[in-house]
Amino acid sequence: MKRFLVPFIILFILITSVYAQDAREIMTKSQKAFLYAGEDLKVRVTMRLISSTGKVRLRELTMLRKNIGPAGGKQKYYIYFHAPADVKGMTFMVYKYPERDDDRWLFIPALNMVRRIAARDKASSFVGSDFTYEDVSGRDIDDDLHELLKEDMLNGEKCFVIKSTPRKADVDYAYRVSWISEESFLPLKVEYYDLSGRPYKLFTADEIETVKGFPTVVKRTMKNLQSGHRTEVVFTEVDYNIGLPEALFSERFLRRAPQKWIK
Amino acid sequence: MNKIRRINPVIRQTNLPIKSDKIDRRVNVKGCLICIILLLASTVAEGFEFSLNGFLQGNYSFNTASSSPDGGDLKWAEERIQLKLDISNEQLRLFSKTGLYYDNIDRDVGVDFREVYFDYTGISFDLRAGRQIITWGLGDLVFINDIFPKDYEAFFSGRPLEYLKLPVDALKIGLYPALLSIDIVILPFFEPNNLPNRQRFWLYDPMEGISERKELKPSKSLKNTEIAMRFYRNLAGVDVAVYFYRGFYRMPSAEPAILSGLRLFYPSLSVYGVSLQYSALKGVMSVEAGYYNSREDREGTNPFIPNSSLKFLIGYQQQLWEDFTVTLQYFGEYMEDYSEYLKTLPEGVPKMRRFTDLLSIRLTQLLMHQTLRLSYFSFWSLSDGDYLLNPEIRYSFTDSVWASFGAMVFGGGEPWSQFGSLDRNDNVYVQMRYEF
């Protein structure tokens, strides 16, 4: 019996670790497709924050993103707010580092003041929406343990179904299950579960367009299943590899929004 | 006589009622109008984007400790419309922010050219000419290297925070060589701080008996043109800045006039400073210091002019949980030539401490998808024992309508200390805005 048990255990470990390896690889590819497409990106983002009673608030912004190095690595973000009126002209800059806290700066036009903001919590809400900073700029692959649960069909597309469990309790959910398209590697659906295992949030990619060869989620929704609040996001004027200069991501342009890139 | 202007830091020295009038801005009205006309004319030009925004605002502040010196119940009561006009293309921008207001206390209509400027953005330099607001430095309501004028009356009356900063008529040049960025600001017209109004605020006045006061601003000359510079860059994750200023104290000093009464004047000042800001201890650390060189009283022997001093602050901000941020800050000022100060201090005049400090805490919690903001700010001076408390609640009813309710509470210390002297001026305020 022992003769069989040892190879069996070895084989089991091998198979599961191959699966785990596969899952990590899939998530790495997904991160690359979803958050690192192109060298840089320019997009106009319209967010509709919709309460359970149907009250709508709008957030409109232009987001510029530049990759510094390979996918999964450093990124710089520049955000210009168009609406609502009380934040129009406000700009926001993030230097994202995979292994440590981001650096964030905010420019308040009424005071002509640049402030560095404490950014410990990547899991906190982005501009009051149901999306978190991590949903916008990504989460480090090795912050989670990834398992390939199965393969599944979703909206006629073949998907990997992957369960990701955070290694540390640094988020407000226990784990998430992602449906990753086997073709585009974009996440088509992500279910978040709370600490008692109940469904908590639901992400859906509602519309995908290919821009300059990069499949892009141009319509997405994040719904809080417990409060009924949801946020719908629409991307327009998507463009990749436009040659954003790195100098753009600086205090100079935080104070003086570059018209060429934000219009 | 007195050495009232010895320490001239931050919000300190609101206890000397100098001005009872509104800030006089008539001088440059013509210039502002010309700018606006230029602005409108340029809309005709092609390739320019045009935008018009603004707000309607109601802002009222009610006395809670006692009536104002003039017997009124209000510290502030104003309706205001603001129009923001922005015309820009990639290189050029014309911007104006103009307010039209009705002051219910003085029953007075006024126009406020808050910002009117022209921008040019080049490849490695840019220019901004005209009336503008400039904010430098890292302090949270304390200012070391931000030597631009402040409106303390606005802050103490519960006006929206942006009114704490007064605009300057200036030329700002930005230079961006490879190694660092440089701001050079040239200020041809001196603008003092705006201090609380005597009719509305109870203030400590050591020379109450002397009503004859003449204010003397530095004359408009090339020699008196102020210059401020900032050199800055990010060095290994640290935002580093070095500052230089040559101009005048923005708080007036007082000395006996030749014949009778008091002469209020603004002594020469140079400031050399530095600031660092970086991520540390899971938050943001801020360190700033500045040496105030009182150029007309280098030895500290003139009792009517502030002594040179060293100011510094250490700040730390951290997000403790989602949408909850804490900011702690310690500010200190150390007076030079203190023995000279003591020697020349006239009898019967309150003695300033050699070292004064100010501890501040700011708590901010956002709720309901960041539409509700609860905040608390306080100053507390360890050296003087006085304080300022400012709790506030702000709610955005819709994307375009918000209101905030808050209170300004002063007390502690001595009748002549910074916030202690404002003890009777506690107020609750409301700000309401419709933005478009």
Side-chain angles (χ1 to χ4, degrees):
Chain A
M1 185 65 195
K2 254 185 189 171
R3 283 198 310 173
F4 296 102
L5 194 63
V6 175
F8 176 78
I9 290 170
I10 291 171
L11 194 65
F12 180 81
I13 291 169
L14 267 174
I15 288 170
T16 51
S17 69
V18 163
Y19 253 71
Q21 190 55 41
D22 277 355
R24 190 185 176 281
E25 240 180 82
I26 292 162
M27 289 310 275
T28 307
K29 282 186 182 169
S30 176
Q31 184 193 50
K32 187 178 175 186
F34 190 43
L35 298 158
Y36 284 82
E39 288 297 308
D40 56 36
L41 161 75
K42 170 186 187 286
V43 59
R44 186 146 177 147
V45 180
T46 308
M47 304 182 105
R48 281 159 50 90
L49 283 59
I50 306 161
S51 76
S52 56
T53 57
K55 202 174 167 188
V56 178
R57 293 183 193 252
L58 271 181
R59 305 282 174 268
E60 211 177 327
L61 52 99
T62 293
M63 185 170 86
L64 307 172
R65 184 256 291 154
K66 188 173 177 70
N67 298 347
I68 312 295
K74 254 173 80 175
Q75 285 182 320
K76 292 183 177 179
Y77 286 82
Y78 180 102
I79 288 167
Y80 176 91
F81 289 92
H82 298 279
D86 67 336
V87 297
K88 186 183 157 67
M90 217 184 247
T91 55
F92 181 57
M93 186 165 74
V94 181
Y95 287 4
K96 188 196 132 191
Y97 310 100
E99 273 134 30
R100 60 180 174 98
D101 291 339
D102 298 344
D103 287 333
R104 294 180 195 162
W105 295 264
L106 183 69
F107 169 69
I108 302 158
L111 290 162
N112 189 9
M113 179 173 78
V114 169
R115 274 290 125 108
R116 199 158 170 148
I117 317 175
R120 181 185 186 180
D121 198 357
K122 292 185 185 187
S124 62
S125 162
F126 178 71
V127 299
S129 75
D130 296 288
F131 289 89
T132 64
Y133 279 92
E134 278 186 353
D135 296 323
V136 177
S137 68
R139 185 171 160 80
D140 194 23
I141 292 290
D142 289 320
D143 282 351
D144 302 314
L145 200 68
H146 306 282
E147 295 168 68
L148 180 59
L149 297 181
K150 59 179 177 179
E151 292 183 57
D152 193 13
M153 293 294 284
L154 183 69
N155 311 329
E157 257 190 84
K158 247 179 123 181
C159 290
F160 297 115
V161 181
I162 289 174
K163 179 180 174 182
S164 306
T165 311
R167 290 177 199 267
K168 285 185 289 184
D170 58 347
V171 285
D172 63 347
Y173 58 87
Y175 65 92
R176 61 185 201 275
V177 179
S178 311
W179 275 253
I180 308 292
S181 162
E182 294 191 11
E183 204 192 319
S184 66
F185 282 93
L186 290 176
L188 303 184
K189 181 169 92 166
V190 185
E191 296 172 346
Y192 296 78
Y193 292 87
D194 69 9
L195 300 176
S196 51
R198 287 181 310 157
Y200 164 46
K201 290 205 299 185
L202 176 66
F203 167 90
T204 49
D206 307 320
E207 209 179 304
I208 294 170
E209 268 177 30
T210 300
V211 181
K212 283 191 176 168
F214 299 106
T216 306
V217 180
V218 292
K219 255 186 179 173
R220 67 191 73 189
T221 304
M222 182 74 85
K223 183 165 186 180
N224 186 319
L225 301 167
Q226 294 175 2
S227 70
H229 195 282
R230 70 179 194 277
T231 301
E232 298 175 0
V233 175
V234 176
F235 278 18
T236 51
E237 301 166 35
V238 183
D239 206 354
Y240 293 100
N241 296 337
I242 51 173
L244 286 179
E246 204 177 334
L248 200 73
F249 302 86
S250 63
E251 184 179 327
R252 178 189 183 190
F253 291 107
L254 206 55
R255 286 179 185 263
R256 193 177 280 248
Q259 302 297 309
K260 181 178 174 185
W261 304 107
I262 58 159
K263 292 288 177 194
Chain B
M1 277 314 299
N2 184 333
K3 199 160 185 181
I4 355 146
R5 300 277 130 213
R6 270 298 185 178
I7 298 187
N8 244 335
V10 208
I11 304 188
R12 208 166 294 275
Q13 307 275 317
T14 48
N15 52 356
L16 187 75
I18 303 299
K19 303 204 295 178
S20 55
D21 291 330
K22 288 267 167 64
I23 316 155
D24 182 11
R25 301 204 152 278
R26 276 168 299 181
V27 192
N28 290 301
V29 165
K30 234 188 259 172
C32 291
L33 285 172
I34 291 168
C35 280
I36 291 174
I37 291 164
L38 271 174
L39 224 79
L40 289 168
S42 65
T43 52
V44 190
E46 270 178 60
F48 281 88
E49 299 241 359
F50 173 93
S51 80
L52 182 67
N53 296 87
F55 60 69
L56 296 170
Q57 177 181 280
N59 186 188
Y60 312 93
S61 168
F62 308 90
N63 287 313
T64 55
S66 70
S67 299
S68 297
D70 67 1
D73 295 323
L74 297 162
K75 282 260 181 287
W76 199 262
E78 181 197 83
E79 290 88 41
R80 177 179 286 257
I81 176 168
Q82 185 186 83
L83 290 178
K84 272 186 285 188
L85 191 61
D86 189 339
I87 301 157
S88 53
N89 69 6
E90 279 174 32
Q91 277 191 334
L92 303 174
R93 180 180 184 215
L94 287 150
F95 180 79
S96 91
K97 190 190 270 186
T98 312
L100 178 72
Y101 62 86
Y102 179 69
D103 176 348
N104 292 281
I105 300 176
D106 292 347
R107 297 177 193 279
D108 186 18
V109 177
V111 181
D112 171 19
F113 292 100
R114 192 150 168 83
E115 290 174 74
V116 185
Y117 60 75
F118 164 84
D119 262 353
Y120 172 79
T121 306
I123 292 166
S124 58
F125 83 103
D126 46 40
L127 288 177
R128 175 166 294 177
R131 177 162 297 175
Q132 53 190 299
I133 288 162
I134 305 173
T135 303
W136 287 355
L138 309 176
D140 188 358
L141 300 180
V142 296
F143 306 96
I144 296 174
N145 291 298
D146 184 318
I147 43 66
F148 303 103
K150 318 289 181 307
D151 185 346
Y152 291 115
E153 181 182 51
F155 178 57
F156 295 148
S157 305
R159 298 184 66 193
L161 190 63
E162 64 199 74
Y163 293 101
L164 171 60
K165 296 287 299 188
L166 284 172
V168 285
D169 296 321
L171 173 68
K172 184 160 81 93
I173 303 159
L175 301 172
Y176 308 96
L179 283 178
L180 80 173
S181 304
I182 305 167
D183 278 345
I184 302 169
V185 184
I186 298 160
L187 305 132
F189 313 110
F190 176 78
E191 185 69 55
N193 287 343
N194 186 45
L195 302 177
N197 176 318
R198 276 189 106 157
Q199 275 92 56
R200 298 186 192 180
F201 277 83
W202 295 99
L203 301 158
Y204 175 74
D205 186 350
M207 289 163 292
E208 212 155 21
I210 310 169
S211 58
E212 194 189 330
R213 295 167 184 214
K214 201 175 169 211
E215 189 191 6
L216 247 157
K217 284 189 202 173
S219 61
K220 292 178 185 69
S221 69
L222 194 63
K223 186 175 69 100
N224 284 346
T225 293
E226 301 160 74
I227 185 156
M229 294 202 265
R230 180 172 70 120
F231 304 83
Y232 61 102
R233 69 160 293 170
N234 188 288
L235 251 178
V238 182
D239 295 328
V240 183
V242 172
Y243 309 82
F244 167 74
Y245 169 69
R246 186 183 168 90
F248 304 92
Y249 282 98
R250 293 194 194 278
M251 290 288 188
S253 288
E255 67 178 13
I258 295 167
L259 293 174
S260 65
L262 283 177
R263 189 176 81 100
L264 304 174
F265 65 108
Y266 299 88
S268 306
L269 169 71
S270 292
V271 182
Y272 314 92
V274 62
S275 72
L276 305 172
Q277 197 169 42
Y278 53 97
S279 299
L281 309 168
K282 301 207 171 287
V284 173
M285 283 297 294
S286 307
V287 180
E288 184 175 351
Y291 177 69
Y292 275 52
N293 181 5
S294 183
R295 298 203 317 270
E296 288 178 46
D297 184 25
R298 286 181 208 270
E299 277 79 47
T301 49
N302 185 335
F304 306 115
I305 295 179
N307 282 11
S308 298
S309 66
L310 181 73
K311 303 181 189 198
F312 67 90
L313 69 82
I314 301 165
Y316 175 69
Q317 185 194 56
Q318 199 194 96
Q319 189 182 32
L320 285 185
W321 57 78
E322 176 157 11
D323 289 338
F324 180 75
T325 310
V326 177
T327 311
L328 296 170
Q329 177 180 260
Y330 182 73
F331 168 85
E333 176 169 12
Y334 183 81
M335 191 199 294
E336 270 198 355
D337 305 310
Y338 191 65
S339 54
E340 295 298 324
Y341 165 73
L342 290 182
K343 256 188 245 168
T344 53
L345 183 73
E347 235 173 277
V349 169
K351 188 171 76 180
M352 298 267 183
R353 288 172 178 81
R354 173 161 218 172
F355 181 74
T356 50
D357 62 3
L358 212 47
L359 188 67
S360 81
I361 179 164
R362 180 183 292 280
L363 310 173
T364 309
Q365 172 78 62
L366 302 173
L367 295 164
M368 298 167 72
H369 294 270
Q370 301 185 359
T371 55
L372 179 66
R373 185 180 72 197
L374 307 177
S375 66
Y376 172 81
F377 179 82
S378 69
F379 273 130
W380 180 43
S381 171
L382 301 171
S383 58
D384 294 0
D386 58 350
Y387 57 82
L388 173 155
L389 314 176
N390 176 211
E392 190 182 271
I393 174 167
R394 174 181 146 143
Y395 181 63
S396 298
F397 293 91
T398 68
D399 278 344
S400 49
V401 178
W402 61 260
S404 67
F405 303 89
M408 281 285 173
V409 180
F410 313 93
E414 310 288 349
W416 55 83
S417 60
Q418 178 169 214
F419 302 119
S421 64
L422 292 166
D423 196 20
R424 292 168 73 187
N425 297 294
D426 295 354
N427 61 77
V428 292
Y429 60 85
V430 52
Q431 307 159 357
M432 292 173 290
R433 229 182 234 190
Y434 166 72
E435 310 226 22
F436 57 87

